Amino acid sequence: MLQPGRYHDRWKTVRGQALAAVGSTGSINFGVIGFCTGVCSGFAIPVAQQMGAGAFSQMRRYVANAAYLSALFALVLTVATGLGCQDILTLMRTPSDIFAEANSYIFVIFMGIPVTFLYNLLAGILRSLGDSRTPVYFLALSSFLNIFLDFALILWFNTGVAGAAIATVVAQGISGLACLAYMVKQYPILRMTREERQLDGVSCKVLCAMGIPMGLQYSITAIGSVILQTAVNTLGSTYVAAVSAGVKLFQLLGCPFDAMGATMATYCGQNVGACRLDRLGQGIRSCSLLGLAYAVVAFCAMLVFADPCAMLFLNPSEPQLDLLVSLTSRYVTSVTAFFFPLALVNIIRFSIQGMGYRSFAILAGVLEMAARAGVGLGLVPVFGYTAVCVASPAAWIAADLFPVPAAFACIRKLRKMYPNQPEPPLPAQAETAPSGRYGRLNGTGYNNRD
């Protein structure tokens, strides 16, 4: 027979203990899982370019080789992170009272790297084919499964923070397999010949040239986050818990910006492949206006509802509840005030990647890392929590300094290289990359512009 009181008390206890533990792993989690996500997004860009160009055979070859590379990356990263996660937490000065739970959580997350690659690669391919809705449906499926499994594993099986990590991995794995089954059934265009399934060195080189830099954007940014998290850890578990709650709320509010970035990478890749350069600037401007509108709405909402939203991630029985709510609200209000620079970071950086100028996009990550690391090393020891609240806004502003003008310079460069207007391919030309008015993609299906 269920005992509601017992489960309620257990849930409150787990929430109080887990928040700081999970939050202390946030930066390294972002660095590793972000790298996986970035690599998959990068792999999808050549697929989108070939889809836009109508070169379906080469598109399928990229899909096959992206799967091989993803399996290799997943294996290497799973082994490396699993062996090194305790040392990483030690270097980050994780407080001793949450170290064991932090290690339990992040170890399971790292063991789930293969399913992270599975879902993100398939979602990226679907977007490259022009299907942006289906990945959202499977993401929603993963989210609902995650919530259900969180309750089941924590309340019924008493698995603690490790259960929360298991729920995340299992939910994403189920969503990824469902996505795979859907693609096999609904997309005959992906059915490959034996030749198209073969491992191809040229295709792998092109995929790595796009995927690795895109993944490194996250990892480079995460270096600054790790340095900042280390500085936060020195403030004590109370501040770690407050930042953890604030980051959770920020991640929820910031999801639209991640979607905008992934969308623009595919959008620009498809239009470069289709030789429709006239759409690039228009797409960036339209998406930026959408980002601005959402940024204003999110900031106004947090001005009014920051305190009750903070309670979604805090334990009502915490002895320092008022302080935690105040600190969390202060953090999330500070970061949402600068959501438009964050919108530009995602929109512009991924647009540049979609155009093929990978080195330009990496510079944005370097600037973001430098700003966040500078605040963590130089300002947090002096100004404490106030510096923590302004670290991410400073990083986003720094990350916008170069890519915003660079994006339009990239468009102008493309127009000079391919000055003519596009011509739609004839149906009979569907299996070959059309010349278009901007010329043909090179033999690898990728313009090596930098």
Side-chain angles (χ1 to χ4, degrees):
M1 183 176 180
L2 293 177
Q3 302 179 30
R6 184 185 69 185
Y7 287 119
H8 180 64
D9 291 342
R10 183 184 299 170
W11 179 248
K12 290 196 302 181
T13 301
V14 170
R15 286 181 68 190
Q17 293 174 343
L19 186 59
V22 174
S24 67
T25 67
S27 56
I28 187 62
N29 189 351
F30 171 75
V32 176
I33 302 303
F35 177 82
C36 302
T37 304
V39 166
C40 292
S41 297
F43 286 170
I45 290 175
V47 177
Q49 290 178 340
Q50 296 307 308
M51 187 67 186
F56 302 134
S57 179
Q58 181 61 37
M59 179 269 290
R60 290 188 288 268
R61 187 172 287 109
Y62 278 136
V63 170
N65 284 272
Y68 303 146
L69 288 172
S70 295
L72 177 62
F73 275 94
L75 175 63
V76 172
L77 285 172
T78 301
V79 173
T81 54
L83 293 175
C85 62
Q86 288 194 19
D87 294 332
I88 294 171
L89 292 175
T90 301
L91 289 173
M92 292 176 61
R93 301 179 185 177
T94 304
S96 59
D97 57 336
I98 59 174
F99 188 95
E101 288 187 312
N103 182 64
S104 297
Y105 178 83
I106 198 62
F107 180 79
V108 175
I109 293 296
F110 286 161
M111 292 302 100
I113 285 175
V115 299
T116 299
F117 268 98
L118 174 66
Y119 170 76
N120 284 284
L121 179 63
L122 296 179
I125 291 171
L126 281 173
R127 286 191 293 266
S128 296
L129 297 179
D131 185 353
S132 59
R133 294 183 179 180
T134 301
V136 176
Y137 299 150
F138 286 111
L139 181 60
L141 170 65
S142 178
S143 299
F144 285 118
L145 284 173
N146 198 344
I147 293 170
F148 171 77
L149 292 173
D150 275 336
F151 279 95
L153 293 173
I154 294 173
L155 296 183
W156 301 341
F157 296 96
N158 196 25
T159 54
V161 294
I166 292 171
T168 299
V169 172
V170 172
Q172 191 168 52
I174 293 174
S175 182
L177 291 174
C179 189
L180 177 61
Y182 174 85
M183 292 174 66
V184 170
K185 183 177 180 179
Q186 298 294 328
Y187 284 92
I189 194 175
L190 293 176
R191 293 172 187 169
M192 305 172 189
T193 65
R194 177 178 298 180
E195 181 182 357
E196 290 167 347
R197 288 196 300 267
Q198 290 179 351
L199 183 66
D200 177 46
V202 175
S203 296
C204 287
K205 182 179 179 181
V206 172
L207 290 164
C208 288
M210 293 302 297
I212 293 177
M214 208 158 179
L216 287 176
Q217 288 182 35
Y218 288 93
S219 296
I220 290 171
T221 301
I223 294 173
S225 298
V226 169
I227 294 173
L228 179 62
Q229 183 66 58
T230 303
V232 173
N233 290 345
T234 64
L235 300 178
S237 298
T238 299
Y239 288 93
V240 173
V243 172
S244 301
V247 169
K248 291 289 184 184
L249 185 52
F250 156 71
Q251 289 173 341
L252 180 64
L253 294 170
C255 285
F257 299 132
D258 295 331
M260 290 176 192
T263 298
M264 289 307 299
T266 302
Y267 174 88
C268 291
Q270 287 177 335
N271 281 289
V272 168
C275 302
R276 290 301 306 269
L277 304 186
D278 55 308
R279 294 178 176 175
L280 298 178
Q282 179 183 353
I284 291 174
R285 286 189 291 270
S286 297
C287 196
S288 297
L289 288 174
L290 181 63
L292 176 60
Y294 176 76
V296 172
V297 171
F299 176 59
C300 292
M302 286 301 100
L303 286 177
V304 179
F305 301 111
D307 285 2
C309 287
M311 287 301 302
L312 294 173
F313 303 97
L314 296 172
N315 184 356
S317 63
E318 284 285 345
Q320 295 182 301
L321 181 62
D322 290 342
L323 175 61
L324 282 171
V325 170
S326 175
L327 292 173
T328 303
S329 300
R330 183 179 167 192
Y331 177 88
V332 74
T333 304
S334 298
V335 297
T336 52
F338 292 87
F339 257 11
F340 183 58
L342 173 61
L344 292 180
V345 168
N346 285 274
I347 294 168
I348 301 298
R349 186 163 59 186
F350 281 92
S351 295
I352 292 174
Q353 282 280 15
M355 296 178 211
Y357 292 91
R358 55 194 183 274
S359 59
F360 285 177
I362 289 179
L363 184 56
V366 173
L367 294 171
E368 187 174 350
M369 174 205 69
R372 193 172 277 116
V375 172
L377 292 174
L379 299 184
V380 173
V382 178
F383 298 101
Y385 191 73
T386 299
V388 175
C389 293
V390 301
S392 289
W396 300 331
I397 292 172
D400 286 330
L401 293 177
F402 174 76
V404 171
F408 293 96
C410 291
I411 295 173
R412 288 194 297 271
K413 184 176 180 180
L414 286 171
R415 286 175 175 169
K416 290 180 180 178
M417 293 171 63
Y418 311 110
N420 299 321
Q421 296 297 318
E423 295 176 357
L426 297 175
Q429 298 172 320
E431 284 293 324
T432 60
S435 298
R437 297 191 220 170
Y438 293 113
R440 182 189 297 270
L441 296 174
N442 66 25
T444 65
Y446 171 74
N447 283 315
N448 296 302
R449 290 182 283 274
D450 59 340

